């Protein structure tokens, strides 16, 4: 028995068999309607034979009903949103889903995801035809897109992470059977308990600051001190402003950490306050060559060039300052709660991870400090016993 194909379903014979597409003439397509949709929509149903044809007819009928609804909305002047199952639709659905609670994410996380979303949607728009159903995206095709950012590893990581979230959301919404993006099994994650921490000593910090001053980049030296003393990353530091995040009248830092949204309020160290008193710029650190606030990539490139110019600092990473500040604070006898409050962590667990399981270190300075406290406690006990006779 011959099966009749629905309206706009077009068969295209190939050597391997006949492929079917849902193609609406351009003049008849509502705004935003995709030019071509491969049928069946679910790739696992493309098995050939009668089973595939039944799936083609089912999906063709479904798309025709949706097309008629879209045309009716257009006649009534009702604006339609993105087509279901496309990346624009998923982005809107994900960010407005109450189970996701996108608005509750930290400010910096939302900004990173929004930047990634713009790159992803621009890519989706440039695909031929534009904004295909996500079921038509396979891993090799997605990988081609991600490889565009190979010279920007951080950007590539964020774009991949957000695109994976969107496709996970597509699975949850039933428009995709499984996420084509494989798990990112990075060696760093596998061996996190075997990572080696290179600690910035205070002497190394001062050497790095001196190098920056000699290179005509004193604000870079100031950023290093803030990174070490306040245990912050460059993204946070380069956005800090005078009279808003730093109050020169009282010498106090007062800001919200980008990543966690945790408010931080702490006095500046004497050396940081002394350096900040020498400038009057709105932003605490600026690019001396342009007089403008640092851009992250320019900051990283300048930092790397200055550090690699001297054997003492060659290869050091700015990110180690945050962890090194935790180590020094622990050596100085600060409690985990005090360290978390200075660095803006949500809980002391992050501090514990840095001090223990994250790096698997055992510090003799902390051990000796503990022994000294125990001996002091014993001496106080002896005095108390002698006093009570």
């Amino acid at each position: 028995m011959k099966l009749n194909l629905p309206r706009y379903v077009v068969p295209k014979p190939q050597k391997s068999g006949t492929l079917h597409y849902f193609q609406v003439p351009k003049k008849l397509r509502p705004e935003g309607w995709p030019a071509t949709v491969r049928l069946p929509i679910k790739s696992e149903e493309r098995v050939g034979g009668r089973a595939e044809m039944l799936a083609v007819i089912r999906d063709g009928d479904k798309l025709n009903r949706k097309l008629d609804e879209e045309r009716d909305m257009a006649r009534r002047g009702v604006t339609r949103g993105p087509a279901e199952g496309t990346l624009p639709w998923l982005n809107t659905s994900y960010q407005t889903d109450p189970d996701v609670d996108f608005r509750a994410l930290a400010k910096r996380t939302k900004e990173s995801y929004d930047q990634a979303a713009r790159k992803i949607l621009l890519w989706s728009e440039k695909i031929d035809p534009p904004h295909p159903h996500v079921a038509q995206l396979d891993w090799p095709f997605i990988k081609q897109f991600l490889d565009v950012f190979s010279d920007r590893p951080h950007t590539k990581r964020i774009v991949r992470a957000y695109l994976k979230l969107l496709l996970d959301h597509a699975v949850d919404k039933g428009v995709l059977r499984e996420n084509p993006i494989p798990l990112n099994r990075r060696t760093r994650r596998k061996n996190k308990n075997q990572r080696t921490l290179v600690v910035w000593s205070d002497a190394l910090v001062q050497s790095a600051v001196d190098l920056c001053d000699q290179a005509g980049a004193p604000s870079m030296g100031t950023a290093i001190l803030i990174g070490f003393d306040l245990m912050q990353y460059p993204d946070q530091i380069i956005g800090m402003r005078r009279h808003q995040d730093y109050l020169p009248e009282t010498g106090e830092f007062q800001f919200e950490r980008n990543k966690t949204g945790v408010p931080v309020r702490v006095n500046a160290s004497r050396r940081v306050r002394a350096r900040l008193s020498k400038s009057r710029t709105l932003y605490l650190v600026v690019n001396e060559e342009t007089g403008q606030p640092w851009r992250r990539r320019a900051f990283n490139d300048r930092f790397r060039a200055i550090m690699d110019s001297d054997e003492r600092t060659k290869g050091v990473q700015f990110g180690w300052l945050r962890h090194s500040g935790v180590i020094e604070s622990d050596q100085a006898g600060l409690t985990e709660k005090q360290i978390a409050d200075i660095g803006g962590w949500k809980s002391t667990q992050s501090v514990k991870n840095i001090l223990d399981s994250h790096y698997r270190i055992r510090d003799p300075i902390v051990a000796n400090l503990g022994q000294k406290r125990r001996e002091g406690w014993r001496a106080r006990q002896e005095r108390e016993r002698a006093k009570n006779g």
Side-chain angles (χ1 to χ4, degrees):
M1 175 179 164
K2 185 177 179 181
L3 298 174
N4 295 321
L5 294 176
R7 177 183 55 168
Y8 303 130
V9 174
V10 180
K12 293 194 175 182
Q14 305 285 331
K15 288 183 179 179
S16 57
T18 301
L19 305 182
H20 294 84
Y21 296 90
F22 191 83
Q23 293 181 322
V24 182
K26 188 173 182 179
K27 291 182 179 179
L28 301 178
R29 292 200 299 262
E31 184 180 355
W33 187 273
T36 304
V37 178
R38 171 81 186 275
L39 300 178
I41 291 175
K42 293 182 178 179
S43 58
E44 63 270 18
E45 292 183 325
R46 298 169 191 166
V47 294
R50 185 177 178 83
E52 179 174 329
M53 285 300 300
L54 291 173
V56 167
I57 293 170
R58 181 201 64 211
D59 287 353
D61 288 338
K62 184 177 179 181
L63 286 172
N64 269 301
R65 287 194 296 271
K66 189 167 183 61
L67 177 64
D68 290 339
E69 290 174 5
E70 297 289 345
R71 286 174 173 169
D72 181 59
M73 290 172 64
R75 281 194 296 269
R76 291 186 286 114
V78 178
T79 304
R80 78 184 275 283
E84 181 180 344
T86 62
L87 285 168
W89 178 83
L90 280 171
N91 186 58
T92 301
S93 176
Y94 178 76
Q95 295 196 7
T96 56
D97 191 327
D99 292 334
V100 174
D101 201 4
F102 187 81
R103 279 190 245 175
L105 296 175
K107 178 184 174 183
R108 179 58 185 163
T109 303
K110 284 189 288 188
E111 288 175 352
S112 295
Y113 284 169
D114 282 337
Q115 290 171 6
R118 285 193 288 273
K119 291 177 173 62
I120 291 167
L121 297 185
L122 182 61
W123 166 63
S124 177
E125 186 178 354
K126 290 181 177 178
I127 297 173
D128 185 20
H131 302 308
H133 193 284
V134 290
Q136 297 178 258
L137 305 178
D138 57 19
W139 171 236
F141 187 69
I142 293 171
K143 188 174 183 300
Q144 276 187 336
F145 162 61
L146 295 175
D147 286 345
V148 171
F149 307 103
S150 292
D151 61 332
R152 289 169 284 167
H154 178 75
T155 300
K156 182 178 181 179
R157 188 165 62 249
I158 297 298
V159 171
R160 176 186 172 128
Y162 188 65
L163 182 54
K164 190 172 189 310
L165 285 174
L166 292 183
L167 296 180
D168 282 340
H169 186 66
V171 175
D172 292 341
K173 290 296 179 182
V175 296
L176 189 63
R177 184 171 179 269
E178 62 180 355
N179 194 331
I181 300 181
L183 290 175
N184 192 9
R185 297 185 178 90
R186 292 182 292 167
T187 304
R188 186 167 72 90
R189 291 293 182 189
K190 280 183 176 180
N191 302 320
K192 66 178 183 178
N193 289 339
Q194 286 76 45
R195 289 173 63 186
T196 301
L197 171 64
V198 179
V199 179
W200 285 71
S201 65
D202 193 61
L204 182 60
V205 168
Q206 194 55 56
S207 296
V209 172
D210 292 342
L211 277 176
C212 293
D213 291 344
Q214 294 163 16
S219 73
M220 182 70 71
T222 301
I224 289 172
L225 287 178
I226 295 174
F228 187 62
D229 288 359
L230 268 67
M231 297 170 278
Q232 298 299 324
Y233 286 128
D235 277 349
Q236 186 81 50
I237 298 167
I238 62 181
M240 287 181 170
R241 288 176 283 184
R242 204 177 301 271
H243 302 294
Q244 178 174 318
D245 303 295
Y246 173 69
L247 309 178
E249 301 83 7
T250 60
E252 184 181 51
F253 280 95
Q254 186 174 297
F255 59 90
E256 188 176 279
R257 190 180 167 214
N258 289 340
K259 186 175 181 181
T260 61
V262 172
V264 175
R265 188 168 181 174
V266 63
N267 292 331
S269 62
R270 284 195 295 270
R271 59 184 180 181
V272 168
R273 191 184 302 189
R275 288 184 73 89
L276 292 177
S277 67
K278 296 176 182 178
S279 67
R280 294 290 182 270
T281 56
L282 174 62
Y283 285 84
L284 301 188
V285 293
V286 296
N287 186 334
E288 283 82 5
E289 294 179 359
T290 64
Q292 299 298 315
W294 282 102
R295 296 285 185 181
R296 174 64 188 270
R297 194 168 184 183
F299 181 93
N300 290 346
D301 291 345
R302 185 69 170 137
F303 172 83
R304 185 77 278 128
I306 295 174
M307 294 301 104
D308 288 350
S309 68
D310 191 286
E311 284 299 321
R312 293 171 298 172
T313 54
K314 191 172 184 178
V316 296
Q317 302 293 322
F318 198 103
W320 295 343
L321 285 167
R322 181 165 170 81
H323 302 134
S324 301
V326 173
I327 301 299
E328 188 198 60
S329 299
D330 187 52
Q331 292 172 343
L334 275 69
T335 66
E336 290 168 354
K337 176 68 166 60
Q338 289 169 328
I339 298 172
D341 287 348
I342 294 171
W345 281 281
K346 282 186 175 181
S347 72
T348 58
Q349 187 59 49
S350 297
V351 176
K352 290 176 182 176
N353 289 341
I354 291 172
L355 292 173
D356 187 18
S357 61
H358 205 48
Y359 292 107
R360 313 303 297 178
I361 65 167
R362 289 294 179 267
D363 195 323
I365 296 177
V366 175
N368 290 334
L369 179 63
Q371 285 290 61
K372 186 178 289 187
R373 287 182 176 175
R374 289 176 69 188
E375 289 173 359
W377 177 81
R378 289 170 185 162
R380 288 194 299 274
Q381 293 296 308
E382 288 292 335
R383 290 194 296 271
E384 191 67 26
R385 282 194 291 268
K387 182 179 175 181
N388 294 333

